[in-house]
Amino acid sequence: MKKIILALFVLLASTAAVFAQSDLQVLAVVKYNKSESITVKQLKARCDTYEKQMGKKLTVDERKQVLDALIEEKLVLQAAAKTGINISDSNVDQYFLQTMSQQVGAMVTEKELNEMIQKAQGITLDQLLQSQTGMNTSEYKAFLKNQLIAQQYVISQKQAEIQKVAATDEQIRQFYESNKTSFVWNDMMKMFMVVYPKGANPEDTKVKVNELRNKLADKKMTAEQIEAQAQAGGYQAGHILLQKTEAYAYQLGMTYNNLMWLFEQKDDVVLDIQETEQDFRIVKVVKKYGAKMLSISDIVQPDSTITVYDYIRGNLTQQLQMQALTAAATEVSKSLHTNENVDLKKSGDALTKLLDWGN
């Protein structure tokens, strides 16, 4: 019996080794600026990302397309490196947070984003990204970095052509008519807020905050004067335009019920000092704006000079330029994808066999 168990163990170990060797097989070598291999394992990882996003398994032909995309991605990245194009990690972090903030409807830090996800879904940001993309946060940021570098290289090569693309008046007006009901103001409020850290002596700080609050309420100091002195005074101050949503309440560190209460206050009123665990706050309700439908000539938000027409023109032009960028990226990558720059190690039936790793 021991011999049989030992034989089975050896067989299983050998099978695992075969799979490991298969995953390490090189499918192609990209050599535009340096020599880089693409293995079966790398292709599987990228296919796994696409399968999670699409919710289905890729066919062998689709996996071949992903392989071509991987080859061309490396070609463009090598070309970008040759011309000195790079993106800093801080810019990648900023882009990542901007993208995520758009999804939750408010600007958040990575810590706040993680807390929101844990509260709403009971999982971490890492786990959410892993389930959606097959990558954790750091891996996803590395992927984003490569995409941004590739994009910058394509723009450097095709900038003049891309910038010529612009939305026409007819396209702008057609878009407005087709999406008229989406151009609305939600209930909004412009407020002035001062956030004063409690510091080592909260009671002394509260006295200072109360003096500042009374000066604002008695019109002995304007909001602009208080804001100008913020850095020297050791506090933060500024005007905020917020909507009546839970996301905005979270951003301000208050409950949605407290936000609703704020909307019930009169315009141009300075409220009593608000206290949190970390700070004291002065809040002045400047003006409230009721929900309404917007015409094409209306401004998109209070205190703005941008009309709905301008807003649509900017967004449509951006979309058209992104389409032009995608077409340019295909053109640039295909021009680099030559026999001189790429050494295919597997092709034909041998490639098909390697890519048919089952569903």
Side-chain angles (χ1 to χ4, degrees):
M1 178 62 72
K2 288 183 179 180
K3 289 183 180 180
I4 294 173
I5 293 173
L6 179 61
L8 285 173
F9 176 77
V10 171
L11 178 61
L12 289 171
S14 300
T15 303
V18 168
F19 279 115
Q21 289 170 5
S22 175
D23 277 0
L24 294 176
Q25 285 197 57
V26 176
L27 298 172
V29 176
V30 178
K31 49 182 181 176
Y32 176 82
N33 193 35
K34 61 181 180 179
S35 183
E36 281 188 282
S37 297
I38 297 175
T39 64
V40 174
K41 183 178 181 180
Q42 290 171 317
L43 179 62
K44 281 184 176 181
R46 183 61 62 88
C47 286
D48 183 55
T49 295
Y50 291 144
E51 286 173 350
K52 279 183 167 62
Q53 292 173 349
M54 298 167 65
K56 75 176 189 71
K57 294 293 183 180
L58 299 180
T59 65
V60 171
D61 284 341
E62 287 171 334
R63 289 167 184 168
K64 289 179 180 178
Q65 293 174 20
V66 176
L67 174 59
D68 282 340
L70 265 176
I71 289 170
E72 290 168 5
E73 179 184 305
K74 286 191 179 294
L75 283 167
V76 172
L77 288 172
Q78 286 191 16
K82 191 173 182 179
T83 58
I85 292 175
N86 194 20
I87 303 289
S88 68
D89 289 340
S90 61
N91 283 340
V92 175
D93 288 341
Q94 184 179 3
Y95 180 82
F96 172 77
L97 285 175
Q98 285 175 346
T99 304
M100 292 298 180
S101 294
Q102 287 173 1
Q103 294 182 26
V104 300
M107 285 302 300
V108 291
T109 64
E110 192 166 320
K111 181 182 177 182
E112 290 170 339
L113 179 63
N114 194 44
E115 290 171 352
M116 288 178 72
I117 293 169
Q118 286 182 315
K119 183 178 180 181
Q121 302 186 37
I123 58 175
T124 64
L125 174 60
D126 255 2
Q127 291 170 324
L128 178 65
L129 286 173
Q130 193 77 46
S131 67
Q132 293 181 346
T133 69
M135 294 178 275
N136 61 30
T137 307
S138 60
E139 290 168 340
Y140 184 67
K141 285 182 180 180
F143 172 77
L144 278 181
K145 183 172 186 174
N146 285 340
Q147 298 302 305
L148 291 170
I149 291 171
Q151 185 181 86
Q152 285 299 310
Y153 176 74
V154 173
I155 290 172
S156 72
Q157 300 298 301
K158 299 288 184 178
Q159 187 170 19
E161 296 174 29
I162 294 169
Q163 286 181 340
K164 286 180 182 177
V165 178
T168 65
D169 179 74
E170 182 181 2
Q171 289 173 319
I172 294 166
R173 295 186 182 279
Q174 283 180 352
F175 185 90
Y176 174 76
E177 289 300 325
S178 299
N179 299 275
K180 188 181 294 187
T181 56
S182 65
F183 290 101
V184 297
W185 273 4
N186 293 321
D187 288 327
M188 291 182 288
M189 176 173 66
K190 183 179 180 181
M191 59 183 264
F192 177 70
M193 178 180 281
V194 177
V195 178
Y196 214 126
K198 287 183 174 180
N201 298 297
E203 290 303 318
D204 291 343
T205 302
K206 189 172 183 178
V207 172
K208 294 178 184 177
V209 176
N210 194 52
E211 289 176 355
L212 199 60
R213 182 258 171 211
N214 291 338
K215 287 180 181 178
L216 181 63
D218 297 338
K219 302 188 185 303
K220 293 179 179 179
M221 286 187 75
T222 65
E224 289 72 23
Q225 287 172 329
I226 291 174
E227 186 174 358
Q229 296 178 15
Q231 187 172 357
Y235 56 83
Q236 295 178 316
H239 285 89
I240 304 170
L241 185 66
L242 66 156
Q243 299 182 23
K244 197 189 291 183
T245 67
E246 289 189 15
Y248 275 87
Y250 181 88
Q251 186 180 3
L252 292 173
M254 62 175 63
T255 66
Y256 183 62
N257 285 337
N258 285 343
L259 182 64
M260 294 283 286
W261 176 81
L262 273 179
F263 270 85
E264 294 171 1
Q265 307 310 305
K266 294 180 180 179
D267 288 355
D268 203 34
V269 65
V270 179
L271 305 177
D272 291 336
I273 295 173
Q274 311 290 308
E275 182 176 355
T276 72
E277 290 183 10
Q278 296 82 25
D279 52 55
F280 296 106
R281 299 182 179 191
I282 303 169
V283 174
K284 177 180 180 179
V285 177
V286 179
K287 189 175 182 179
K288 294 185 289 296
Y289 304 88
K292 71 170 185 175
M293 295 282 296
L294 300 178
S295 72
I296 197 168
S297 59
D298 281 334
I299 57 173
V300 291
Q301 69 177 33
D303 297 333
S304 170
T305 58
I306 300 172
T307 64
V308 172
Y309 183 93
D310 295 331
Y311 177 81
I312 295 172
R313 178 175 58 191
N315 278 274
L316 269 184
T317 295
Q318 186 178 39
Q319 289 176 25
L320 292 170
Q321 289 183 346
M322 284 302 296
Q323 292 171 12
L325 176 61
T326 301
T330 300
E331 183 182 340
V332 169
S333 61
K334 294 298 182 188
S335 70
L336 294 170
H337 196 159
T338 64
N339 291 335
E340 182 182 354
N341 295 334
V342 180
D343 182 11
L344 289 174
K345 297 298 184 181
K346 299 292 179 181
S347 60
D349 292 341
L351 178 62
T352 299
K353 185 178 180 180
L354 271 176
L355 270 52
D356 189 16
W357 54 68
N359 294 318

